[in-house]
Amino acid sequence: MVVRIYENYETLSEQAAQLLVEQVKSNPFSNIVLAAGDSPRLTYQLFVRKLLEQHIDYRNCHFIGLDEWLDVAPENTGSCHYFLKTNIIEPLSVPATHFHLFNALTSNQDEECERMDSVVRELNGIDAMVVGIGMNGHIGFNEPGVPFDLYAHVVDLDENTQAVGQKYFNAPTTLRSGISLGMKHLMESKKVFALASGKKKSTIIARLLKEEINNRVPASILRQHKNSWLLLDEDAASDISQPSTK
Ligand code: F6R
């Protein structure tokens, strides 16, 4: 795993956006999985700006949503759907054939998981993933205790995720369960960019780097990935004495 530490959220986002641009330039057919949330928000805005300003051809890229709050409608401004629609899909005018998001309102959650698994399979796998790190060390909605050998699955969200998730919503919202690509997708992705910023992430980032790799801190498995990048700002890195580059 490569660990990079940048001065602040802005420089972290600038560099992450540049890495994504390079991904698209080097493989204009990239299948890219995208998390929602605060960590990648500015990265996506800068990525979109760079693609458009530099006239980079992304028409053959596919964009895949990492996860979704179950039973939250796509038009709800706190949904991952709404976030990806407003930050990536609409500004890039990505056609429906080239973006793939979980349906949070599905009446058959198992079928929905199978559908997203088959989307990934039929695209011949994931070239790059952009993920955040939860306060509890989750990636997507792969909560502490998750088996590492799962593809898409439905998750009972832990209390921390239910509470922290309120920040995305205009009004208190019931967030009992989620639907998410699995850690097996993460490990099979050719590349992973994991972003974390702010002092509030410093404890979990230190645990991710220092504890033995285990599913109590799901993101610790990034250290086993063949091409993972942990992109931090100085605040998120402030509890690490010696950054690991394993
Ligand atoms: C959201 C997602 C979550 C977030 C994580 C960090 O799609 O997959 O795992 O990445 O909870 O959230 P932020 O970036 O808001 O701190």
Side-chain angles (χ1 to χ4, degrees), residues 172-186:
T173 304
T174 306
L175 302 173
R176 276 206 197 88
S177 45
I179 189 165
S180 181
L181 296 184
M183 295 308 247
K184 212 159 177 208
H185 287 117
L186 184 95

Side-chain angles (χ1 to χ4, degrees), residues 12-210:
L12 158 67
S13 305
E14 171 65 32
Q15 293 305 314
Q18 190 54 38
L19 288 167
L20 277 177
V21 164
E22 279 156 23
Q23 171 67 39
V24 174
K25 276 175 149 175
S26 66
N27 176 7
F29 289 81
S30 291
N31 304 320
I32 306 177
V33 168
L34 301 169
D38 292 335
S39 307
R41 189 185 302 274
L42 181 57
T43 296
Y44 293 163
Q45 288 163 8
L46 298 171
F47 172 57
V48 164
R49 191 185 304 164
K50 284 169 188 280
L51 288 181
L52 296 176
E53 282 179 2
Q54 297 171 36
H55 305 289
I56 296 163
D57 189 358
Y58 56 83
R59 286 170 303 173
N60 291 304
C61 290
H62 284 259
F63 299 97
I64 302 159
L66 174 60
D67 52 5
E68 189 54 280
W69 310 100
L70 273 171
D71 299 323
V72 169
E75 55 275 12
N76 185 318
T77 55
S79 70
C80 300
H81 185 116
Y82 187 88
F83 177 95
L84 292 176
K85 195 178 86 175
T86 49
N87 285 288
I88 295 279
I89 294 163
E90 285 181 350
L92 291 177
S93 306
V94 181
T97 48
H98 283 60
F99 67 84
H100 314 274
L101 305 177
F102 279 106
N103 173 11
L105 304 181
T106 178
S107 57
N108 189 330
Q109 297 169 355
D110 290 341
E111 248 177 50
E112 182 61 8
C113 291
E114 281 163 27
R115 184 185 71 81
M116 286 298 270
D117 285 346
S118 68
V119 163
V120 171
R121 252 193 334 267
E122 281 160 26
L123 290 172
N124 290 320
I126 300 165
D127 295 296
M129 288 178 79
V130 183
V131 304
I133 311 284
M135 295 291 289
N136 61 1
H138 72 202
I139 285 187
F141 287 141
N142 292 277
E143 299 281 49
V146 68
F148 282 150
D149 60 352
L150 291 183
Y151 286 118
H153 57 286
V154 168
V155 184
D156 289 333
L157 297 172
D158 82 10
E159 279 177 19
N160 179 280
T161 301
Q162 295 182 33
V164 174
Q166 298 299 324
K167 69 177 174 169
Y168 306 118
F169 293 87
N170 294 331
T173 304
T174 306
L175 302 173
R176 276 206 197 88
S177 45
I179 189 165
S180 181
L181 296 184
M183 295 308 247
K184 212 159 177 208
H185 287 117
L186 184 95
M187 292 310 281
E188 290 176 2
S189 172
K190 293 199 183 110
K191 202 179 284 181
V192 179
F193 300 113
L195 278 47
S197 63
K199 186 80 187 113
K200 63 181 185 300
K201 294 283 172 75
S202 62
T203 307
I204 196 66
I205 293 301
R207 289 187 62 198
L208 181 172
L209 287 167
K210 288 179 188 163

